[in-house]
């Protein structure tokens, strides 16, 4: 039911660079996020981030520079 996607019970996120969309909640393998970057923004302490097989790079929407403020 609709309660299955409740934020209060969510402890995992799914990411898929091919099928995913960052506008989704990422709370199941049927509604994955597209980028690890978005998963890191949404994840809370204790969360598990499940990564689907694929290439995670700028072509799939990743922006590694924003995650590493020590470099240009």
């Amino acid at each position: 039911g609709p309660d299955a996607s409740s934020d209060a019970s969510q402890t995992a996120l799914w990411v898929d660079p091919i099928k995913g969309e960052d506008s989704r909640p990422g709370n199941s393998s049927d509604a994955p996020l597209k980028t690890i970057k978005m998963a890191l923004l949404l994840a809370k302490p204790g969360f598990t981030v499940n990564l689907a097989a694929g290439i995670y790079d700028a072509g799939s929407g990743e922006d590694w520079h924003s995650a590493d403020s020590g470099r240009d």
Side-chain angles (χ1 to χ4, degrees):
D3 294 334
S5 62
S6 168
D7 287 344
S9 64
Q10 183 176 347
T11 58
L13 292 166
W14 279 259
V15 185
D16 186 325
I18 298 166
K19 299 186 306 184
E21 294 293 339
D22 280 348
S23 59
R24 294 178 175 158
N27 60 351
S28 76
S29 58
D30 292 328
L33 299 165
K34 185 173 182 71
T35 64
I36 296 169
K37 180 174 130 178
M38 181 60 74
L40 293 176
L41 288 172
L42 296 175
K44 295 176 176 61
F47 269 42
T48 299
V49 177
N50 300 283
L51 303 179
I55 297 172
Y56 293 85
D57 62 9
S60 67
E62 297 295 352
D63 177 5
W64 305 118
H65 296 293
S66 69
D68 182 0
S69 59
R71 295 187 178 177
D72 294 351

